[in-house]
């Protein structure tokens, strides 16, 4: 891949998979995909001069979005109103600044809508709501129709660029991924 700069220029979000009536393209102000962050544990051996930190896995995933206006349909997806997780699919337009080509990015998140935080009302201002996605149990990130990241809590799958990073561990622990 030649040196270039990729810039996201547009986004859309479906709250409840790809049902066309659930598109948020008119109200979406912000979409926060999960941050990828490792957990580390520190260790300073008794006979060592300098300590070290070891990677111990990946922290839980959190994501969210902000919509302008009020969305009564999302209230029924919130926390105790819904005992199940929902699928949230985000599409982005990424422009290759070298060639001008528009590229699709896609994120699929299975989660619970765990927080709805309304902006304060001010006359003459367009208020909105911040939404938090919690209890994320599945996450996929696609770029240019290629899977970049795939993680599933229940099957213990962790793929990067289509390669299962957890295959050896799953084999040793006799965890099926089918």
């Amino acid at each position: 891949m030649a040196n270039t700069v990729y810039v996201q220029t547009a986004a859309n979000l479906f709250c409840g998979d790809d049902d066309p009536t659930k598109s948020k393209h008119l109200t979406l102000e912000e979409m926060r995909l999960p941050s990828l962050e490792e957990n580390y544990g520190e260790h300073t051996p008794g006979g060592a001069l300098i300590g070290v930190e070891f990677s111990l896995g990946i922290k839980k995933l959190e994501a969210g979005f902000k919509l302008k206006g009020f969305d009564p349909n999302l209230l029924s997806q919130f926390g105790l109103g819904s005992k199940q997780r929902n699928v949230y699919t985000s599409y982005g337009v990424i422009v290759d600044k070298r060639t001008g080509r528009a590229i699709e990015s896609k994120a699929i998140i299975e989660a619970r809508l765990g927080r709805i935080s309304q902006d304060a009302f001010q006359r003459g201002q367009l208020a909105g709501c911040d939404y938090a996605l919690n209890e994320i149990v599945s996450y996929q990130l696609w770029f240019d129709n290629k899977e970049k990241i795939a993680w599933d809590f229940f099957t213990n799958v962790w793929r990067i660029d289509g390669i299962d990073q957890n295959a050896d561990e799953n084999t040793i622990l006799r965890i099926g991924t089918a």
Side-chain angles (χ1 to χ4, degrees):
M1 191 177 304
N3 289 335
T4 190
V5 175
Y6 296 107
V7 176
Q8 185 165 352
T9 59
N12 193 11
L13 175 66
F14 290 85
C15 299
D17 212 1
D18 286 329
D19 178 345
T21 66
K22 301 199 186 259
S23 171
K24 303 301 178 193
H25 69 283
L26 295 178
T27 57
L28 183 64
E29 180 178 1
E30 183 179 296
M31 179 70 202
R32 294 176 305 281
L33 296 179
S35 296
L36 300 175
E37 186 177 349
E38 285 189 292
N39 276 323
Y40 288 92
E42 293 185 21
H43 176 58
T44 305
L49 179 63
I50 299 173
V52 67
E53 63 182 9
F54 293 113
S55 172
L56 299 173
I58 299 171
K59 291 186 178 183
K60 70 177 181 171
L61 301 182
E62 297 177 14
F65 54 95
K66 183 174 181 78
L67 301 179
K68 282 296 188 188
F70 183 75
D71 193 322
N73 292 327
L74 284 178
L75 291 175
S76 61
Q77 290 185 13
F78 170 73
L80 299 177
S82 172
K83 300 289 185 199
Q84 62 188 15
R85 287 175 301 277
N86 289 289
V87 175
Y88 298 85
T89 304
S90 171
Y91 294 95
V93 176
I94 309 289
V95 176
D96 179 332
K97 297 307 278 184
R98 176 181 286 261
T99 66
R101 183 170 77 99
I103 300 166
E104 178 187 270
S105 70
K106 176 173 63 172
I108 304 168
I109 302 168
E110 183 181 345
R112 288 175 55 86
L113 187 59
R115 187 183 78 231
I116 302 173
S117 177
Q118 290 187 312
D119 293 341
F121 170 77
Q122 283 184 294
R123 184 177 282 288
Q125 299 292 317
L126 183 57
C129 292
D130 278 309
Y131 299 86
L133 298 179
N134 300 98
E135 196 178 304
I136 296 175
V137 296
S138 179
Y139 176 54
Q140 297 174 39
L141 182 63
W142 295 75
F143 179 79
D144 202 9
N145 294 315
K146 295 178 186 81
E147 181 187 84
K148 298 304 289 178
I149 295 171
W151 169 73
D152 185 86
F153 174 78
F154 295 107
T155 61
N156 209 34
V157 165
W158 174 248
R159 284 191 307 266
I160 304 291
D161 290 327
I163 299 169
D164 191 348
Q165 306 296 307
N166 235 13
D168 290 344
E169 185 173 304
N170 285 339
T171 298
I172 292 168
L173 295 175
R174 309 311 192 264
I175 297 173
T177 57

